[in-house]
Amino acid sequence: MELTKYTHACVRLEKNGKVLVIDPGSFTDEPVLDGADAVLITHEHFDHVDVAKLRAASPDLEVWTCEGVAAQLTDVPAKVQVVRHSDGFETAGFRVRAFGEWHAKNHPDQPIVQNVGFLVDDEVFYPGDALTVPEAEVPTLLVPTGAPWLKLMEVVEYLRTIRPARAYSTHDGLYSDIGLRLVDNWLKMEADRQSADMRRLQIGEPITLS
């Protein structure tokens, strides 16, 4: 399976000629849905879902997401299917399990929205905007590293709780170049401590997962 990181919160997984995209939001300018067979969407915030992108996508596309997002996709031609915590399903040749129910607490005046994380092929876990600990081993963690709801201490504690063999930064589109260098340093410190591969992939950089 090949993983490619795109701007902010979007990643693309490819295996056996099939393409699975996670959280193609409005901060992602790249044509990530070109050739996509399926899309997973963790929650309804605009940096994770771009309705216009999905509206223009192939009607053969499968979209798997929570109820809150599905309610916004009623005029999208793709096949939209709702998933909840503990659900398992197969799409485009990928086996997926859903973990988590709610977005992390953010602004005190904003409601907490639904958020579901996805474990793909028992290899890659993408938690969305939450620090969900799935009831499963996580070889590769896509770890949020920058958000209004997130602290550095929480990132480190999350990495130490999950203890993945690999962890790659996501949700990092809000950083300046200076901030990204800090992320690189934080991940290197934890990588050295855990003897694991923890780092920030460059935009468009593919990596092959064993």
Side-chain angles (χ1 to χ4, degrees):
M1 179 165 53
E2 186 175 85
L3 181 152
T4 304
K5 167 77 167 68
Y6 288 98
T7 303
H8 190 53
C10 181
V11 297
R12 181 171 161 127
L13 301 174
E14 300 188 40
K15 183 185 73 171
N16 299 330
K18 297 293 186 177
V19 176
L20 175 68
V21 178
I22 306 177
D23 279 8
S26 60
F27 291 172
T28 304
D29 295 327
E30 300 87 3
V32 291
L33 294 184
D34 286 0
D37 298 287
V39 171
L40 309 180
I41 300 171
T42 60
H43 66 283
E44 65 190 65
H45 290 159
F46 68 91
D47 56 330
H48 292 259
V49 57
D50 186 330
V51 177
K53 279 189 181 76
L54 295 173
R55 199 176 284 130
S58 167
D60 296 325
L61 186 70
E62 292 186 1
V63 178
W64 302 79
T65 188
C66 62
E67 292 178 73
V69 174
Q72 298 182 12
L73 303 183
T74 54
D75 64 344
V76 165
K79 303 169 186 175
V80 179
Q81 300 175 78
V82 171
V83 295
R84 299 173 181 84
H85 173 69
S86 79
D87 283 350
F89 58 94
E90 185 170 320
T91 182
F94 294 86
R95 290 174 292 105
V96 185
R97 286 193 280 167
F99 292 94
E101 298 179 87
W102 300 106
H103 191 289
K105 292 181 180 179
N106 199 348
H107 192 285
D109 297 337
Q110 297 296 319
I112 298 175
V113 300
Q114 293 175 329
N115 180 96
V116 60
F118 297 103
L119 178 63
V120 181
D121 279 351
D122 292 324
E123 174 64 46
V124 178
F125 184 59
Y126 186 108
D129 280 12
L131 299 179
T132 301
V133 178
E135 297 172 354
E137 183 180 352
V138 177
T140 303
L141 176 65
L142 298 174
V143 58
T145 55
W149 52 269
L150 190 61
K151 298 177 182 178
L152 168 61
M153 180 177 68
E154 295 171 333
V155 175
V156 173
E157 289 178 345
Y158 190 48
L159 289 169
R160 293 181 183 180
T161 298
I162 300 291
R163 301 197 67 81
R166 294 166 293 279
Y168 304 122
S169 171
T170 188
H171 213 280
D172 49 20
L174 302 181
Y175 280 115
S176 65
D177 289 341
I178 294 172
L180 290 174
R181 288 199 294 272
L182 288 174
V183 170
D184 293 339
N185 289 336
W186 297 333
L187 291 177
K188 184 179 185 307
M189 290 170 61
E190 198 57 28
D192 291 344
R193 186 181 190 277
Q194 295 194 34
S195 298
D197 180 18
M198 297 181 177
R199 55 195 167 97
R200 181 175 57 90
L201 301 176
Q202 297 300 310
I203 303 302
E205 176 185 355
I207 186 167
T208 300
L209 304 174
S210 56

